[in-house]
Amino acid sequence: MRFIVLPDRPSGPAVAALAAAAPAPLLRHPSGRPWILGDRDLALGEIRHTVLGDRAAVLLGPSTATVRGLSHVLARAHAPRDVAAAARAFGGCFHLVVSMNRRTWVQGSLSSARQVFHARVGEVVVASDRPDPLVRALGATVRDELLAARLIAPWPPWPLSEASLWHGVESLPTGTALEIGPDGRGRVVRRWDPPEPHLPLPEAAALVREALCDGVRARVRGAGVVSADLSGGMDSTSLCFLAAEHADRLVTSRMEAHDPADEDRVWAERAAGMLPGEHLVFRRGTTPTWFSGLLDHVDDLEEPFAWIRTRAALRATTRQIAECGSRVHLTGHGGDELFLSKPVHLHELARRRPLAAVRHLRAHRALYRWRTGPLLRGLRENASFADWLAASADRLTTQAHTLAAAPAFTWGLGGLMPPWATRDAVEAARTTLREAAGRAVPLSPGRSQHSLIQEVRECGAAMRHTSRVTGMAWEAPYVDDRVVEAVLSLRHRDRVDLTRYKPVLSEALRGLVPAPFLGRTTKSEYSAEAYRALRRNRADLLSLFEDSRLARRGLVDLDALRRALTVPPPTALAFVPLVSTVACEVWARSIQVPAGGVRTRGGEHA
């Protein structure tokens, strides 16, 4: 737990017990009542707090805001919503909490890197940036149907991808805030809608440039030593050059791939020669392989870790980076989600500007070898989000190669259940998807924007989870609110240009990053590493499922899973469902929920 937000009213016994188990109040409401309870390290450079009479506002997390600027915003506001609207101008990634007229407003980031969980504890609604304190206060139990849905690979469609796995604990949906009234009741209110994709490339790129520079500066200035990934890819390399402009001392890190033909190494070495600071290279064979350390216990009440295959490597390398003095680590994750041209963009372009779409469709068809039949059927398809989500439930057991044969013009990856999922697990996931289809509203009316926002949310969740797992703040400036908004504003015809790689990013960073790194058009792949890791860690994987918690819940067929682990998969695609299953198993082992509640960090039961 990092912080809990309490409403501005006298607390009952349940909230008093919650507060007693938490750190002392960091901040109080203007009324003097406890407001924000949290770890003391929050106070080290991450808080912007101001009080004006009976109102107060606080930003928790890296931002370009100053106390003076926040005070100016608060002075002009008539309601918490006004503060939230004005705070959109600040760069960085943060929680905003406002206390005004005995109303409490809490919001996170669009990416969910700063997420908000809330629950009714006793007579009032309480919020937190993590579900842990709420789960313990309620003695909450797991929603098995949602755990079954988390087996969907590579991930379940939104909104199941970010639904809380605990009864009684909810997570804030995209673009919303939690408002708690004087009576302690909470309601979820909309605070943001995606912008229209109307800006030409130069204008959108200028906004991306400003927002990205602000985001990096918010994290780097005053932080002393800052570390950053330098994989050799365009996204991480660009961030390193931006960070070098403001960091007192920069430490870059790179894990050497197991494939000797990996092209990233050449680009990373070239960039390191042009960057100041220290450059750590974790040589091949010196870091844990994929799927290492799965039997190590880690308390984690939130959700399965999407990057479970590299958890041991992340922890090992982060320890060495921390020894260099870094407390903040920058990563280029989010760059692919935002800047790559994807087939779904063509679907909308074909409806908005059919003639302009023809040239792009021909180019994509030649590059990806799409067959004419699936291409035309995909372009004609016009299902609503609800219909697509319901249809995804019917396709959960479809063969993976069948889905891969057609262009991805839909609302997102529908996902597939692993072949070792039990019939009960498949039916539970199907039912959950169909129920969601009956009430879910897409993240944007346009499917390309919806898909992008969902991927940004997945990236943000991975960031906050990696920060917990490694004990260091992992920051992804690419998915800051202002960067995401700028990219969403780009018109469709400028997004699908195959003549330039990531045209928005390369245009935005021209003059800030050396030109050769903005012109790279290739990416490495890591299937060789996956096969090597399976051979090395097969015994641990089999041991992990000896007394499987998923099997106890009736979600996996152990015989089928053991066969899959024993026989090498024919293609790298087969590793995708294995990752989601391993993540769910490791998580289920970490929580150990008995009938009477949930095990806490100290081992006792709530």
Side-chain angles (χ1 to χ4, degrees), residues 44-228:
L44 300 177
E46 286 197 0
I47 288 183
R48 303 290 186 274
H49 172 228
T50 187
V51 181
L52 295 175
D54 62 352
R55 57 180 63 183
V58 60
L59 297 178
L60 299 154
S63 76
T64 57
T66 62
V67 173
R68 181 177 179 180
L70 186 59
S71 298
H72 181 69
V73 165
L74 189 62
R76 300 180 63 181
H78 299 288
R81 182 183 296 275
D82 300 331
V83 181
R88 289 171 61 176
F90 298 137
C93 185
F94 47 82
H95 287 91
L96 169 66
V97 188
V98 181
S99 178
M100 186 182 297
N101 301 323
R102 296 192 59 212
R103 293 187 176 276
T104 302
W105 176 284
V106 192
Q107 70 180 55
S109 62
L110 298 179
S111 71
S112 85
R114 265 67 181 179
Q115 180 59 298
V116 176
F117 297 87
H118 57 100
R120 189 170 188 84
V121 178
E123 299 302 315
V124 302
V125 170
V126 174
S128 177
D129 65 329
R130 296 180 184 175
D132 308 36
L134 308 178
V135 167
R136 294 182 178 121
L138 298 178
T141 55
V142 174
R143 299 177 62 184
D144 277 353
E145 74 281 5
L146 286 179
L147 182 56
R150 289 299 179 102
L151 290 171
I152 297 174
W155 53 71
W158 186 89
L160 300 188
S161 57
E162 59 184 54
S164 167
L165 291 167
W166 297 96
H167 285 287
V169 179
E170 303 294 336
S171 58
L172 274 188
T174 309
T176 64
L178 175 68
E179 187 173 47
I180 310 174
D183 58 359
R185 295 181 181 178
R187 65 187 184 110
V188 175
V189 297
R190 177 148 293 280
R191 66 172 181 87
W192 177 86
D193 290 298
E196 274 295 310
H198 66 290
L199 293 180
L201 178 60
E203 293 182 32
L207 292 177
V208 169
R209 179 188 183 102
E210 181 183 18
L212 191 55
C213 289
D214 282 350
V216 171
R217 188 165 54 249
R219 294 162 169 91
V220 169
R221 280 190 175 173
V225 181
V226 173
S227 55

Side-chain angles (χ1 to χ4, degrees), residues 26-45:
L26 279 176
L27 299 171
R28 293 183 177 272
H29 286 282
S31 66
R33 296 189 182 99
W35 181 23
I36 299 177
L37 318 176
D39 295 341
R40 305 309 304 180
D41 64 357
L42 273 173
L44 300 177

Side-chain angles (χ1 to χ4, degrees), residues 367-395:
L367 179 64
Y368 297 110
R369 300 180 182 180
W370 292 337
R371 300 198 309 271
T372 302
L375 172 62
L376 294 177
R377 284 193 296 273
L379 289 173
R380 286 196 301 267
E381 185 273 324
N382 198 32
S384 68
F385 175 68
D387 289 343
W388 171 81
L389 198 58
S392 297
D394 299 328
R395 292 192 292 264

